[in-house]
């Protein structure tokens, strides 16, 4: 089982729709989680961080479910500009295991 | 402006010719990291550094070397590049989460597209 798994998509949804995708992780001791957005082979940029149960920023909501070991990202009222690949990132528990694990990304395409 | 810079941005080289990709950050971050990105595989960590003179292997370190002689710089060295190292490479830096040695939000450089013939 991969350490961090994402549905690769693509998710193709109409503008204005609500879309959600999940990211599952295997290390139950993982401490912090991030969603990054990546446009067309450019550098990833932080969308949202999740340190406790969840986080909300405008149209974007991230939720952490530690019991089931997944993080979700919800996008409401989607815009054309939301089309991108969304990367889930899991950070280690402590400095003894400081690798950072990326999911392979979920592609989202918003159509007019 | 706070940023991570990488050079070169594009490089085409031949098998066996040593090369170095530079990475520099001006945010005084402790943690720095190199990734490669390949279609269908996402970003995979090559090496990371917790601080000056402290480096460690990521998931795919074979064929790469790094050094961290100064806090701001973290060059990636390919001693003898091979075609399977053709990829898109990203450098990133991050501070530690307050009171910990756990990396926080990462800031990425613009990427280096490497082709090894």
């Amino acid at each position: 089982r991969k350490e961090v798994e994402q549905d690769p998509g693509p998710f193709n949804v109409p503008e204005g729709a609500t879309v959600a995708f999940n990211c599952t992780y295997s290390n139950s001791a993982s401490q912090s989680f991030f969603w990054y957005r990546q446009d067309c082979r450019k550098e990833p940029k932080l969308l949202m961080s999740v340190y406790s149960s969840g986080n909300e920023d405008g149209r974007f909501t991230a939720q952490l479910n530690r019991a089931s070991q997944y993080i979700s990202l919800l996008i409401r009222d989607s815009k054309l500009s939301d089309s991108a690949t969304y990367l889930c990132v899991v950070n280690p528990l402590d400095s003894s295991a400081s690798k950072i694990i990326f999911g392979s990304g979920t592609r989202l395409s918003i159509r007019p | 402006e706070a940023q991570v810079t990488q050079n070169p941005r594009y490089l085409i080289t031949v098998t066996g010719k040593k090369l170095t990709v530079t990475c520099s950050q001006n945010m005084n971050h402790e943690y720095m990291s190199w990734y490669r990105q390949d279609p269908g595989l996402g970003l995979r960590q090559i090496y990371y550094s917790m601080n000056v003179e402290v480096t460690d292997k990521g998931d795919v370190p074979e064929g790469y070397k790094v050094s961290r002689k100064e806090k701001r710089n973290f060059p990636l060295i390919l001693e003898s590049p091979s075609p399977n190292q053709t990829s898109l490479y990203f450098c990133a830096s991050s501070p530690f989460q307050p009171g910990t040695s756990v990396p926080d939000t990462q800031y990425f450089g613009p990427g280096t597209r490497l082709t090894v013939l």
Side-chain angles (χ1 to χ4, degrees):
Chain A
R1 181 185 173 189
K2 286 185 183 178
E3 291 183 80
V4 178
E5 287 199 79
Q6 293 183 248
D7 183 339
F11 285 68
N12 189 326
V13 302
E15 197 174 4
T18 295
V19 60
F21 24 86
N22 287 343
C23 167
T24 59
Y25 60 96
S26 60
N27 184 347
S28 61
S30 297
Q31 184 182 59
S32 50
F33 309 86
F34 302 82
W35 283 102
Y36 285 79
R37 172 198 168 119
Q38 186 177 27
D39 294 292
C40 200
R41 304 291 268 180
K42 293 192 175 178
E43 72 270 26
K45 293 185 178 176
L46 180 72
L47 178 67
M48 191 166 291
S49 53
V50 183
Y51 300 107
S52 54
S53 61
N55 198 358
E56 184 172 332
D57 183 4
R59 298 182 294 109
F60 299 86
T61 300
Q63 292 213 312
L64 171 63
N65 185 316
R66 286 195 183 271
S68 302
Q69 293 181 211
Y70 72 84
I71 319 111
S72 63
L73 179 67
L74 178 79
I75 305 175
R76 289 179 295 277
D77 187 25
S78 53
K79 313 290 186 193
L80 295 176
S81 57
D82 294 334
S83 296
T85 295
Y86 291 84
L87 304 170
C88 170
V89 180
V90 176
N91 272 23
L93 172 65
D94 57 36
S95 58
S96 66
S98 296
K99 293 182 185 178
I100 294 175
I101 311 295
F102 276 76
S104 54
T106 297
R107 277 177 44 211
L108 175 64
S109 178
I110 308 297
R111 63 180 188 270
Chain B
E1 180 190 356
Q3 60 183 350
V4 179
T5 56
Q6 290 179 231
N7 281 294
R9 295 287 313 280
Y10 303 90
L11 179 60
I12 300 174
T13 189
V14 295
T15 298
K17 186 176 181 183
K18 180 179 178 180
L19 67 93
T20 299
V21 185
T22 64
C23 173
S24 184
Q25 50 100 0
N26 63 1
M27 295 169 279
N28 201 37
H29 288 164
E30 293 87 357
Y31 190 94
M32 296 187 75
S33 183
W34 275 103
Y35 299 89
R36 61 177 288 174
Q37 186 172 33
D38 303 288
L41 295 177
L43 276 92
R44 294 179 293 166
Q45 194 172 37
I46 302 171
Y47 269 94
Y48 61 91
S49 170
M50 299 285 283
N51 216 321
V52 175
E53 302 291 3
V54 181
T55 63
D56 210 342
K57 296 177 180 178
D59 284 329
V60 288
E62 295 78 20
Y64 304 95
K65 284 173 58 177
V66 293
S67 68
R68 188 94 180 270
K69 294 188 171 66
E70 306 160 283
K71 198 171 186 179
R72 63 184 293 128
N73 296 323
F74 190 45
L76 179 70
I77 302 151
L78 285 72
E79 294 270 2
S80 184
S82 63
N84 65 10
Q85 292 179 299
T86 293
S87 189
L88 177 59
Y89 291 86
F90 288 106
C91 178
S93 73
S94 70
F96 289 141
Q97 296 177 28
T100 78
S101 297
V102 178
D104 205 338
T105 302
Q106 293 186 87
Y107 297 83
F108 285 83
T112 295
R113 192 172 293 278
L114 173 66
T115 301
V116 184
L117 302 174

